[in-house]
């Protein structure tokens, strides 16, 4: 099995489903509301666990009611929470509007995630024992950089999802093996609107890049190699909230199993396609048997 450590956020997603997302100043009526465990860190951890990895999460939840639910949900999904701290105050929340085309807009309130400013005792040893460390940007940047540096020092593959999109310091790029932005994030980092040109520009700072393109699939680029485009399975999207995190978690497992890059990308794209056909983020993430069946078909 692939041993994966995720350093990142844990949120309770507060999701409203609407026909059409409201414009600024506009009020619309939703048809459904639900609370679903989420956060990019927790989502990637659940995705990797469902895909067959052995997964631990480093992060924090609050001492509120959401905190207990978030911890239980992770453990139920097979994610170790031994390094998930409980801190005083509210857990993180994400306020999500999902429209009838499966698109979404999200406001994240960090809560307990904002307290993860550094690695805690034992975190370095956990990272050092892993095959891969997954990182995102919903916790303070100092902790992300510390995690990446620790992984690099111990020869652990570092996979960074640069979301929410923001400028990043050179020392984080220096400690990143694989960068996985979506189109918007790739443009933010490079100023290039063309995904291929953005990927090529990013190879100046990291050795490998995967740009996720939604229903158009993914684009992979590595130094000294020809770019690889992998199409996405054509499906009808219900909720795309967790698609990117599903892709990254499944990709980490596939790469840890040393699958060829094109196969790993296609297998992870299959997982993401399965996830968008169901509502919710972590609740939509497919298990390994489902991914294998979808990939085989």
């Amino acid at each position: 099995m692939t041993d994966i450590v995720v350093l990142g956020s844990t949120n309770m997603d507060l999701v409203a489903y609407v026909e059409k997302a409201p414009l600024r100043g506009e009020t619309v009526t939703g048809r459904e509301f639900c609370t679903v465990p989420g956060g990019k860190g927790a989502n990637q951890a659940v995705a990797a666990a469902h895909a067959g990895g052995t997964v631990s999460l480093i992060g924090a939840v609050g001492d509120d009611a959401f905190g207990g639910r978030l911890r239980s949900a992770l453990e139920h999904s097979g994610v170790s929470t031994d390094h998930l701290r409980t801190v005083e105050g509210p857990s993180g929340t994400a306020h999500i509007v999902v429209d009838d085309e499966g698109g979404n807009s999200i406001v994240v309130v960090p809560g307990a995630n904002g307290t993860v400013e550094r690695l805690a005792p034992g975190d370095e040893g956990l990272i050092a024992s892993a095959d891969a460390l997954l990182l995102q940007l919903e916790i303070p940047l100092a902790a992300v950089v510390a995690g990446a540096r620790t992984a690099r020092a111990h020869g652990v593959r570092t996979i960074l999802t640069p979301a929410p999109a923001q400028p990043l310091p050179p020392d984080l790029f220096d400690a990143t093996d694989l960068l996985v932005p979506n189109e918007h994030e790739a443009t933010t980092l490079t100023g290039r609107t063309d995904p291929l040109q953005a990927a090529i520009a990013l190879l100046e700072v990291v050795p490998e890049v995967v740009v996720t393109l939604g229903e158009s699939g993914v684009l992979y680029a590595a130094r000294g190699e020809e770019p690889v485009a992998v199409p996405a399975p054509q499906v009808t999207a219900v909720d795309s909230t967790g698609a990117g995190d599903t892709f990254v978690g499944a990709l980490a497992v596939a790469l840890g199993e040393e699958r060829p890059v094109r196969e790993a990308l296609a297998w992870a794209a299959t997982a993401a396609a399965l996830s968008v056909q169901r509502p919710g983020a972590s609740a939509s993430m497919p298990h390994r048997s489902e991914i294998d069946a979808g990939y085989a078909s």
Side-chain angles (χ1 to χ4, degrees):
M1 272 194 177
T2 304
D3 287 318
I4 295 172
V5 173
V6 182
L7 171 58
S9 59
T10 303
N11 295 324
M12 186 62 76
D13 291 348
L14 312 177
V15 189
Y17 291 91
V18 299
E19 180 181 354
K20 183 177 179 295
L23 302 174
R24 183 175 182 179
E26 181 183 16
T27 299
V28 300
T29 299
R31 67 171 183 278
E32 185 181 354
F33 171 80
C34 61
T35 57
V36 183
K40 294 195 73 63
N43 287 345
Q44 291 185 4
V46 170
H50 283 190
T54 300
V55 185
S56 296
L57 177 65
I58 300 172
V61 295
D63 59 0
D64 57 357
F66 284 160
R69 285 183 59 190
L70 291 167
R71 185 180 295 276
S72 295
L74 285 162
E75 292 170 350
H76 180 73
S77 294
V79 177
S80 170
T81 61
D82 291 348
H83 292 254
L84 182 66
R85 315 163 201 171
T86 297
V87 299
E88 185 176 345
S91 300
T93 53
H95 305 256
I96 303 172
V97 175
V98 180
D99 63 34
D100 277 353
E101 295 182 355
N104 64 78
S105 57
I106 305 173
V107 175
V108 175
V109 181
N113 297 303
T115 69
V116 186
E117 298 179 323
R118 61 185 62 85
L119 298 181
D123 289 349
E124 179 174 353
L126 180 68
I127 293 170
S129 67
D131 296 309
L133 173 68
L134 306 189
L135 299 164
Q136 324 78 35
L137 303 177
E138 287 185 346
I139 60 173
L141 196 56
V144 178
V145 173
R149 285 176 170 171
T150 298
R152 175 55 55 86
H154 293 281
V156 175
R157 183 198 298 267
T158 303
I159 301 175
L160 171 63
T161 303
Q166 59 186 276
L168 298 177
D171 52 351
L172 180 54
F173 285 128
D174 290 343
T176 297
D177 296 305
L178 173 61
L179 187 70
V180 190
N182 63 21
E183 292 176 88
H184 169 67
E185 293 148 6
T187 297
T188 298
L189 291 172
T190 66
R192 313 286 180 87
T193 57
D194 179 77
L196 177 58
Q197 293 303 314
I200 291 171
L202 288 168
L203 291 181
E204 297 177 7
V205 291
V206 295
E208 293 181 281
V209 177
V210 175
V211 181
T212 59
L213 307 172
E215 62 184 16
S216 297
V218 298
L219 176 66
Y220 170 81
R223 291 172 182 170
E225 299 181 20
E226 287 295 316
V228 174
V230 174
Q234 297 305 298
V235 299
T236 300
V238 172
D239 182 354
S240 63
T241 305
D245 295 327
T246 301
F247 175 83
V248 171
L251 180 63
V253 171
L255 292 175
E257 294 171 353
E258 299 184 349
R259 301 192 188 199
V261 168
R262 186 181 290 274
E263 178 185 330
L265 293 169
W267 193 76
T270 299
L274 289 167
S275 77
V276 304
Q277 298 176 70
R278 308 166 181 170
S282 60
S284 72
M285 293 172 173
H287 290 267
R288 186 182 184 97
S289 59
E290 298 174 281
I291 305 170
D292 285 342
Y295 180 68
S297 63

